[in-house]
């Protein structure tokens, strides 16, 4: 996607926040779980568990234990949420680059670096979401999440090295890191 289509896409997301759980294909060997059970199984910490439950609620998932879905449905939600969050972060960084004339050079370089870090990370999350929606081949999935996280960490470190500047992007990157971690933890329920 070009930056412009991404912006339009993001606008549409803002205008249409009620996306329903996009169920993937029914795949053999993939567990059927209620949302709460899926969050419990996937989460190693209370923090991630709460993030997971909050994510499901926000997306309008039926939380009753009797409403079981294949876990791919939850993974798709969490992955798309992370991808949307990546989009918001890159949008803020590119707006700063375009519009903030008083951006110090070091910050400018870091933002540019972050955009380069984020671009392949966004692509790999988009690919993961597509693969989960369209098929049952989970090969390479773990690598895609891990490389998506590594790119974020590169960006985080760029921003961390700007010790004298507080940037609005830094907390967004930390937030993205949480979201992609949640998606990856849910994806591990596939045995990847
Ligand atoms: C411009 O960048 C500086 C340095 O990062 C920041 O303090 C300021 O809030 C930014 N201005 C706007 C309008 O975002």
């Amino acid at each position: 996607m070009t930056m412009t289509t991404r912006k339009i896409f993001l606008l549409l997301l803002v205008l249409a926040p009620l996306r329903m759980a996009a169920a993937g294909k029914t795949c053999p060997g993939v567990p059927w779980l209620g949302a709460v059970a899926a969050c419990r199984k996937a989460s190693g910490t209370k923090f991630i568990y709460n993030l997971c439950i909050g994510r499901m609620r926000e997306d309008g998932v039926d939380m009753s234990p009797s409403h079981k879905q294949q876990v791919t449905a939850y993974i798709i939600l969490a992955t798309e949420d992370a991808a949307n969050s990546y989009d918001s972060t890159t949008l803020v960084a590119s707006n700063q680059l375009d519009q903030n004339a008083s951006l110090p050079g070091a910050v400018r370089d870091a933002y540019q670096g972050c955009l380069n870090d984020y671009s392949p990370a966004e692509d790999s999350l988009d690919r993961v979401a597509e693969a989960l929606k369209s098929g049952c081949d989970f090969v390479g999935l773990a690598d895609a999440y891990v490389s998506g996280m590594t790119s974020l960490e590169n960006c985080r470190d760029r921003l961390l090295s700007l010790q004298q500047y507080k940037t609005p992007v830094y907390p967004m990157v930390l937030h993205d890191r949480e979201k992609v971690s949640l998606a990856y933890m849910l994806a591990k329920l596939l045995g990847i």
Side-chain angles (χ1 to χ4, degrees):
M1 269 193 229
T2 67
M3 209 41 100
T4 312
T5 47
R6 270 193 186 277
K7 282 177 190 171
I8 292 167
F9 178 65
L10 196 72
L11 184 69
L12 291 177
L13 284 178
V14 171
L15 295 175
L18 287 176
R19 288 174 307 129
M20 295 316 290
K25 269 208 152 95
T26 301
C27 295
V30 173
W32 292 79
L33 292 173
V36 175
C39 285
R40 194 178 307 120
K41 274 193 102 151
S43 308
T45 64
K46 182 90 182 144
F47 178 79
I48 290 281
Y49 174 78
N50 289 341
L51 195 68
C52 185
I53 295 290
R55 178 74 257 137
M56 301 293 167
R57 288 226 170 91
E58 240 172 80
D59 270 299
V61 173
D62 181 343
M63 304 298 283
S64 67
S66 61
H67 183 79
K68 292 186 166 56
Q69 299 191 79
Q70 281 208 305
V71 293
T72 30
Y74 309 124
I75 303 164
I76 292 167
L77 272 185
T79 304
E80 290 187 331
D81 179 51
N84 291 340
S85 186
Y86 281 28
D87 282 344
S88 310
T89 304
T90 53
L91 193 63
V92 169
S94 63
N95 282 346
Q96 284 285 314
L97 283 171
D98 290 347
Q99 292 161 15
N100 190 341
S102 58
L103 212 58
V107 177
R108 183 167 290 278
D109 289 348
Y111 282 175
Q112 196 56 62
C114 279
L115 290 181
N116 295 339
D117 296 331
Y118 263 70
S119 175
E122 286 177 326
D123 289 346
S124 80
L125 283 190
D126 287 345
R127 269 200 308 276
V128 166
E130 272 320 302
L132 290 171
K133 280 189 207 170
S134 59
C136 301
D137 180 5
F138 306 133
V139 173
L141 219 55
D143 285 347
Y145 283 112
V146 171
S147 74
M149 284 196 272
T150 307
S151 303
L152 248 60
E153 285 160 7
N154 291 340
C155 168
R156 179 199 59 197
D157 292 346
R158 290 178 202 281
L159 298 174
L160 264 180
S161 71
L162 303 169
Q163 285 170 12
Q164 70 273 44
Y165 303 111
K166 261 193 137 68
T167 76
V169 175
Y170 179 65
M172 298 184 81
V173 175
L174 297 187
H175 209 57
D176 292 345
R177 179 73 172 70
E178 286 162 8
K179 292 192 167 194
V180 71
S181 301
L182 171 61
Y184 184 34
M185 285 180 199
L186 282 165
K188 284 182 178 170
L189 296 176
L190 296 171
I192 65 167

